[in-house]
Amino acid sequence: TTFGEDMFQLNNERANETMVGSKINDQLLFLNYQFSHPQSSVYFFPINHGYIFNHMSERMDDGRTPNAELRWATWSKKSSYYLQRTLEDLEKEHYSTIVLDVVATRSIEVDEEVLIDYGMEWEDAWKSHVENWKSPCAEFGVISSRMVKLMNSEKLNDEFHTWSDDHFTVCLVKNDEVGEFVHVIKDDEIVPPQSKHKATTSFRGIIDWDHPGFEYSLVAQTRFRYPCIILNANKSNQRFNVAIFRFEMPSKIAELPKARILQIHNGISANDVEFINRPFRGDMHWKDAFRHPIKLPDEIFPPQWK
């Protein structure tokens, strides 16, 4: 349970600086998947994927109707306890977990999609969003997530190899020990004597100490994908020479910072290279991207929380 819309604002100046013209949508993305009520400051953040059901209502001219609804889990003693508490009581708790059940309102056929009603407020907000949506691609020169995805069907196209404001490259690293290693340092930095790699302040004039690739590598995805830059491509065998951004501890001395290391990997397969959106640059982060919580039905919402 959480309180107030202001807690869903993204306080990240660097993230805002990455956007061109329109800035990012400063409301956190998971606001879309919160449960709330328009007359309350209480928000429920689901902690599993059991809530992922699409919206449908009798108000929509779709020929379908909801076949399930939300109900409090009366079998849960903890839920029953919190549902009786006031807002003041809930705010004193370190956390409060309340269980919602999704209950079928009629027989659901095999392979039939389970649908719930998100509420009129959500539906009206979505209709307004669709009617007034204007893509920032033309106005601000933004590359859409779909376009970035399509880049991967033309990996040998040189135009895509240079990072843009909207996309960058990741490489699947199957062997941490393969290739040449270069230690990228600041202009005034003294290389620790225990460093085992040659040092430079600028690799080929394209990668300096403050290159964003190093920061991206700190939050590298699973499956051993790391940010990388394509140095050149061999189109005949569909392989790339790349510089992969890495960090490593220069020694066992905790006070020393992690070294910014480039792993120069030659002959990496095109299958192990991928173009993806830069952080906060995907469609979902655009300023006018849709954000709206799902409404908890009036008939189950505790009146003392309004």
Side-chain angles (χ1 to χ4, degrees):
T1 309
T2 52
F3 297 87
E5 290 190 358
D6 58 334
M7 73 171 300
F8 299 109
Q9 300 300 119
L10 183 65
N11 184 17
N12 190 330
E13 292 183 5
R14 179 168 294 178
N16 277 289
E17 289 171 358
T18 66
M19 292 302 287
V20 177
S22 63
K23 303 291 186 180
I24 67 167
N25 188 324
D26 63 355
Q27 285 188 307
L28 294 182
L29 181 62
F30 62 61
L31 180 62
N32 283 353
Y33 305 102
Q34 296 275 332
F35 293 95
S36 187
H37 191 280
Q39 298 177 20
S40 178
S41 62
V42 178
Y43 285 76
F44 292 89
F45 177 52
I47 57 176
N48 61 40
H49 293 94
Y51 65 92
I52 302 180
F53 302 98
N54 280 327
H55 167 72
M56 183 55 60
S57 77
E58 296 180 355
R59 301 177 296 272
M60 300 176 66
D61 185 18
D62 187 86
R64 296 183 294 171
T65 58
N67 51 22
E69 65 183 14
L70 300 173
R71 298 180 190 173
W72 299 118
T74 54
W75 50 266
S76 168
K77 292 183 179 179
K78 184 180 289 188
S79 297
S80 298
Y81 169 79
Y82 286 127
L83 287 167
Q84 304 303 315
R85 306 271 67 81
T86 65
L87 290 180
E88 291 74 18
D89 291 336
L90 291 179
E91 286 185 293
K92 295 176 183 178
E93 301 282 347
H94 291 296
Y95 68 92
S96 52
T97 303
I98 302 178
V99 183
L100 269 172
D101 286 336
V102 179
V103 182
T105 55
R106 61 169 174 79
S107 295
I108 299 176
E109 302 296 328
V110 175
D111 292 331
E112 181 183 0
E113 183 178 7
V114 177
L115 301 166
I116 64 173
D117 188 343
Y118 288 5
M120 183 180 295
E121 291 80 4
W122 185 96
E123 190 173 298
D124 289 344
W126 175 250
K127 288 180 180 178
S128 176
H129 171 76
V130 172
E131 291 171 359
N132 296 292
W133 169 252
K134 293 181 180 179
S135 170
C137 293
E139 183 177 359
F140 298 109
V142 175
I143 302 174
S144 71
S145 295
R146 180 175 180 272
M147 190 62 225
V148 173
K149 186 176 181 179
L150 289 174
M151 289 179 181
N152 289 290
S153 62
E154 299 183 55
K155 291 182 181 179
L156 295 172
N157 187 332
D158 297 342
E159 294 182 8
F160 302 153
H161 295 176
T162 301
W163 292 15
S164 70
D165 290 334
D166 299 294
H167 88 284
F168 72 110
T169 316
V170 292
C171 294
L172 179 62
V173 182
K174 298 177 180 178
N175 189 334
D176 289 347
E177 305 301 324
V178 172
E180 174 190 1
F181 292 83
V182 179
H183 184 179
V184 181
I185 61 175
K186 295 181 180 179
D187 290 338
D188 57 351
E189 183 177 349
I190 299 175
V191 181
Q194 58 269 44
S195 177
K196 55 183 181 290
H197 307 307
K198 69 177 182 181
T200 181
T201 57
S202 181
F203 177 76
R204 297 191 181 182
I206 58 174
I207 301 176
D208 299 328
W209 182 90
D210 59 354
H211 193 286
F214 290 112
E215 289 193 19
Y216 293 176
S217 72
L218 290 174
V219 289
Q221 301 290 324
T222 56
R223 299 180 296 161
F224 306 102
R225 295 196 313 170
Y226 287 89
C228 61
I229 280 186
I230 296 174
L231 302 176
N232 50 64
N234 187 328
K235 297 184 179 182
S236 62
N237 63 8
Q238 298 193 5
R239 291 186 174 274
F240 298 102
N241 295 339
V242 300
I244 300 167
F245 294 90
R246 306 294 297 271
F247 272 92
E248 72 172 27
M249 292 298 296
S251 76
K252 295 182 179 179
I253 303 175
E255 288 76 16
L256 289 176
K258 289 183 177 180
R260 300 185 175 218
I261 303 296
L262 292 176
Q263 178 184 1
I264 312 305
H265 196 314
N266 294 327
I268 189 170
S269 169
N271 293 330
D272 294 332
V273 175
E274 185 180 1
F275 304 118
I276 64 174
N277 284 110
R278 283 221 200 191
F280 302 106
R281 295 290 301 195
D283 298 0
M284 66 181 70
H285 296 291
W286 288 348
K287 180 179 179 181
D288 296 322
F290 186 70
R291 298 285 191 276
H292 203 283
I294 298 170
K295 180 185 177 182
L296 287 167
D298 290 318
E299 54 269 23
I300 71 169
F301 197 82
Q304 71 271 22
W305 292 355
K306 295 181 180 180

